Every structure is written in structure tokens, then in C-alpha cells.
């Protein structure tokens, strides 16, 4: 009998890569989708017919209980969230409802339907914010710098609390930034690689960015979903930092992406103060030694390979897609 997995956030970047991984491993994969007036299944289109989709929403407790009861998963991956940091200042309460109370709803639904279900919670390096030590480990204290970061700290600790209070097998992966050709267009990596492709193809002349000095530990989403799965295969539930251990500035990202397309970034990148954040996370760099040691996890794709993969994918997409589609990123 194949194992059953339920993924919330299956229409997102990570949900789609995780669904690929689990289908390949022979799982029966189900995903939660929320109602939308327009189809947003582009990241999982290639999987339709091989996965099951169920309507539910993190805001609606009964819908979560219903889907978990119907699917009866062995493993539940809670990836659904409002994941774009700047939007969390515009909608701090909704961010809390999705990312903080939404997680409580998922855990409570698991507890009520079947406490044997193993749960993965998508924690984030944004919890480290104004960092207390370098590099950041599982023991580094949190200092979030946005409503998003604050909501993820709540989610992290409610997961720990359900593990300790009810003996749920509930783990948190503290994942540092991870990207791919399926990344949302408003995040800086994809905004840059999409911008490079547009400029190269003569569809645009420039791209506007905010803080070029911010540094992140960027990895490839395909590598990071493997770590999520590994966490749920362990004997004991625990939390892990997932990162490459190498950081780069946004400026490095820009240099590599434009350079790969044979362009001089200084001629095309504008800086716009409106894109600066009310409180910035200046420098994140993770220490993945625990994951390497206990999960035997190592990332396969380095930063340059990641950025060039994304530029190539955007060039290929924009060379074939209708060109009237405007750059969706106004952030
Ligand atoms: P993403 O591409 O923005 O996907 C988010 C997913 O959540 C989408 O499927 C979205 O559905 C769904 N969702 C949002 N609100 C929902 C609600 N109320 N009910 C049900 N579904 C809802 O994010 P991602 O990059 O894949 O990230 C996955 C998770 O990891 C998130 O929790 C994120 O905060 C966390 N995380 C991400 C990173 C990273 O670098 N990517 C790092 C650390 C942690 P729609 O398609 O309907 O919008
Ligand atoms: O910003 C700077 C910006 O929006 C990265 C989410 O997946 O990872 C992600 O959060 C950096 C920031 O990602 C622009 O100021 C400069 O310092 O790509 P981002 P993020 O905020 O780090 C964490 C781990 C998550 O958990 C989140 O869900 O880039 N930056 N100029 C810019 N950022 C954007 N978006 N747009 C710019 O024009």
C-alpha cells in the first residue's frame, strides 16, 4: 500500500517541487487548494491526473478537518502561507491569521482526526531577522523584523508546543531562502532573472530594485524539499536549519544574472527607495551541520548554477510565451 501525503500550499513553489518528489517516490499525493476566480495551477499542471486536489483554506478550521479526514495522510506538509515579506506590513493581521493561527488550525485538525499523522511545518530564516549570531543554527535566538517573521515565530513555537503537549510527530524546517524557475515573480531572484530575460529580448530596458546590499543564503528549492521529506522519515521529531552555509549580496545576484546574459547590469538596474523595507534583514547565513549530520542532506545546486538556471528558464519562457504579459512585479 502506498503512503499518503497531504500538502497545503501545493500550488506554490515548494508545494510543486515536493509533489514532484513524493509522486516519484510512489506516494499517493493530495493537495489543498483554496478557491480562486482564476486558475493558478501552472506549477503543478504536469502533475494533474496523478495527484488529488481538495478545497480547503487555512482560515477555515472545518475545511481542514474535512480534508484531513478524507485523505487520512501518513504525512502532512504545511507549506501554505502568505510568504511575501513586504506584503506582511500591508496586511499584518491577515498574515497572522494565515501564518500563525492557520498553523494552530492545522495542528488542531491533526490532533482531532489522527494524532499519528506526521506534520512538517515550514519555518523560516526570517525568524532570525536582526541576527543574534553568525552563522545561525537551531539554537540561535529569534529576532524577527517583519510581521511575516513574527508570524513564523508563533508558528514555530506552536509546532514545538503541540509536539511537547500532545506527543505529535511535528517538526519545523528552518529553511533559508530557496529559489527556482517556479519562484514567484515578486521575490528578488526571480524579479532579477525575469528582468534580465526581458531586457535581453528587448521587452524592457531596466529593472528597479531596493536594497542591493542585503545578503542571503540562497539555495535551490528542489534540494530543500528533499530535506522536508527526510525530516519526516526520522525516528524522532526535531527541528533543522536547512541552508547552504554560503551567503551573497543582492548585488552579486544581479552581477551573475546580467553577466550570464552578456549584459552590463550598471546600465539597466535602477534603485527605487520605495522598494526599501521598514525594517530590513541585513544578513542571513545558515549553519546546516545538524541536517548534514543527522539527515545526511547536502544541497546539490550552488548559487551560480541556481541563478544561471533561472535566467535560462526565463529566457526560454519569454521567447515562447505571449510577450504582452507585463512584468507582474510592482513590489
Ligand atoms: P509560495 O510560492 O508563496 O506558496 C504559498 C502557498 O500557500 C500557495 O500554494 C498559496 O496558495 C498557499 N496559501 C496561501 N494562503 C493560503 C490559505 N489561506 N489557505 C490555503 N492555502 C494558502 O511559497 P513557497 O516559497 O512555496 O513557500 C512555502 C512555505 O515555506 C511558506 O510557508 C513559506 O512561508 C515558507 N518558506 C519559504 C521559503 C522560501 O525561500 N521559499 C523559506 C522559508 C520558509 P495560492 O496559490 O492560492 O496563493
Ligand atoms: O528579498 C532585497 C530585500 O523578497 C530578499 C521568502 O520566501 O525568504 C523570502 O523572504 C532580499 C531582501 O525574500 C528587492 O530587501 C532588494 O533583503 O526575495 P525576497 P525574503 O524577504 O528574504 C524567506 C526565508 C521567507 O521565509 C520568505 O517567505 O532582497 N531586495 N531589492 C528586494 N526584494 C524584493 N522582493 N524586491 C526587490 O526589488
Amino acid at each position: 500500500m502506498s503512503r499518503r501525503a497531504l500538502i497545503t500550499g501545493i500550488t506554490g513553489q515548494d508545494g510543486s517541487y515536493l509533489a514532484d518528489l513524493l509522486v516519484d517516490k510512489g506516494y499517493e499525493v493530495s493537495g489543498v487548494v483554496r478557491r480562486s476566480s482564476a486558475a493558478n495551477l501552472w506549477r503543478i499542471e504536469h502533475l494533474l491526473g496523478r495527484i488529488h486536489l481538495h478545497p480547503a483554506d487555512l482560515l477555515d478550521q472545518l475545511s481542514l478537518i474535512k480534508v484531513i479526514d478524507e485523505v487520512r495522510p501518513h504525512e502532512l506538509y504545511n507549506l501554505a502561507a502568505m510568504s511575501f515579506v513586504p506584503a506582511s506590513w500591508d496586511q499584518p493581521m491577515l498574515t497572522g491569521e494565515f501564518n500563525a493561527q492557520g498553523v494552530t488550525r492545522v495542528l488542531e485538525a491533526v490532533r482531532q482526526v489522527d494524532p499519528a499523522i506526521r506534520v512538517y511545518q515550514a519555518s523560516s530564516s526570517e525568524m532570525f531577522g536582526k541576527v543574534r549570531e553568525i552563522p545561525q543554527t537551531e539554537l540561535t535566538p529569534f529576532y524577527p523584523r517583519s510581521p511575516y517573521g513574527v508570524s513564523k515565530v508563533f508558528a514555530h513555537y506552536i509546532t514545538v508546543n503541540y509536539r511537547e503537549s500532545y506527543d505529535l510527530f511535528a517538526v519545523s524546517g528552518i529553511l533559508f531562502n530557496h529559489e527556482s524557475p517556479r519562484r514567484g515573480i515578486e521575490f528578488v531572484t526571480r524579479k532579477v532573472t525575469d528582468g534580465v530575460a526581458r531586457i535581453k529580448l528587448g521587452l524592457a530596458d531596466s529593472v528597479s530594485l531596493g536594497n542591493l546590499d542585503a545578503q542571503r543564503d540562497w539555495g535551490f528549492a528542489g534540494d530543500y524539499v528533499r530535506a522536508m521529506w527526510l525530516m519526516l522519515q526520522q525516528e524522532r521529531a526535531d527541528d533543522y536549519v536547512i541552508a547552504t552555509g554560503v551567503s551573497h549580496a543582492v548585488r552579486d545576484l544581479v552581477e551573475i544574472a546580467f553577466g550570464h546574459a552578456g549584459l552590463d547590469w550598471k546600465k539597466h538596474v535602477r534603485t527605487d527607495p520605495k522598494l526599501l523595507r521598514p525594517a530590513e534583514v541585513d544578513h542571513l547565513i545558515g549553519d546546516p551541520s545538524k541536517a548534514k549530520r543527522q539527515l545526511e542532506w547536502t544541497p546539490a545546486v550552488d548559487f551560480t548554477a541556481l541563478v544561471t538556471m533561472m535566467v535560462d528558464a526565463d529566457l526560454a519562457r519569454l521567447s515562447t510565451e505571449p510577450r504582452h504579459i507585463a512584468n507582474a512585479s510592482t513590489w
Side-chain angles (χ1 to χ4, degrees), residues 172-183:
S172 282
I174 307 176
L175 271 52
F176 283 62
N177 299 52
H178 46 279
E179 320 291 314
S180 72
R182 299 184 200 166
R183 185 56 141 154

Side-chain angles (χ1 to χ4, degrees), residues 121-169:
Q121 167 55 24
S123 281
S124 165
S125 53
E126 280 294 296
M127 301 189 302
F128 296 123
K130 191 169 177 179
V131 298
R132 305 285 89 187
E133 70 179 334
I134 296 172
Q136 294 85 53
T137 74
E138 293 78 7
L139 300 176
T140 303
F142 299 139
Y143 193 143
R145 294 273 281 171
S146 62
Y148 172 83
V150 173
S151 71
K152 284 288 181 179
V153 171
F154 179 96
H156 184 84
Y157 279 124
I158 199 71
T159 304
V160 172
N161 184 258
Y162 268 59
R163 180 164 78 214
E164 294 177 354
S165 304
Y166 305 117
D167 206 21
L168 289 192
F169 192 108

Side-chain angles (χ1 to χ4, degrees), residues 11-14 34 40 57-58 79 81 83 148 152 175 178:
T11 56
Q13 171 187 257
D14 290 7
R34 54 180 176 162
N40 64 346
D57 197 300
L58 287 191
L79 309 185
S83 74
Y148 172 83
K152 284 288 181 179
L175 271 52
H178 46 279

Side-chain angles (χ1 to χ4, degrees), residues 22-190:
L22 296 178
V23 165
D24 281 352
K25 286 189 180 295
Y27 277 70
E28 189 176 330
V29 175
S30 298
V32 164
V33 289
R34 54 180 176 162
R35 206 205 90 77
S36 152
S37 67
N40 64 346
L41 302 179
W42 62 275
R43 292 184 177 101
I44 49 170
E45 226 161 13
H46 59 290
L47 288 172
L48 296 179
R50 289 189 286 156
I51 57 176
H52 312 282
L53 298 179
H54 298 258
D57 197 300
L58 287 191
L59 296 183
D60 190 306
Q61 180 77 67
L62 287 180
S63 72
L64 293 170
I65 291 175
K66 185 162 177 276
V67 67
I68 292 171
D69 194 32
E70 275 170 16
V71 174
R72 291 288 174 152
H74 300 95
E75 297 170 15
L76 187 156
Y77 296 85
N78 183 39
L79 309 185
M82 199 304 287
S83 74
F84 188 48
V85 172
S88 76
W89 277 285
D90 292 332
Q91 300 185 328
M93 291 183 212
L94 190 59
T95 300
E97 280 296 336
F98 284 176
N99 298 4
Q101 292 303 10
V103 180
T104 317
R105 290 187 195 98
V106 169
L107 291 165
E108 195 51 37
V110 166
R111 190 172 82 84
Q112 290 190 23
V113 175
D114 178 5
I117 296 169
R118 294 187 165 205
V119 181
Y120 172 87
Q121 167 55 24
S123 281
S124 165
S125 53
E126 280 294 296
M127 301 189 302
F128 296 123
K130 191 169 177 179
V131 298
R132 305 285 89 187
E133 70 179 334
I134 296 172
Q136 294 85 53
T137 74
E138 293 78 7
L139 300 176
T140 303
F142 299 139
Y143 193 143
R145 294 273 281 171
S146 62
Y148 172 83
V150 173
S151 71
K152 284 288 181 179
V153 171
F154 179 96
H156 184 84
Y157 279 124
I158 199 71
T159 304
V160 172
N161 184 258
Y162 268 59
R163 180 164 78 214
E164 294 177 354
S165 304
Y166 305 117
D167 206 21
L168 289 192
F169 192 108
V171 308
S172 282
I174 307 176
L175 271 52
F176 283 62
N177 299 52
H178 46 279
E179 320 291 314
S180 72
R182 299 184 200 166
R183 185 56 141 154
I185 204 118
E186 65 275 37
F187 297 90
V188 74
T189 50
R190 187 73 204 293

Side-chain angles (χ1 to χ4, degrees), residues 233-255:
Q233 312 314 310
Q234 302 306 301
E235 261 174 40
R236 205 171 64 79
D238 204 350
D239 304 327
Y240 297 87
V241 160
I242 303 297
T244 68
V246 181
S247 70
H248 294 272
V250 172
R251 196 183 305 278
D252 305 329
L253 157 72
V254 164
E255 264 177 28

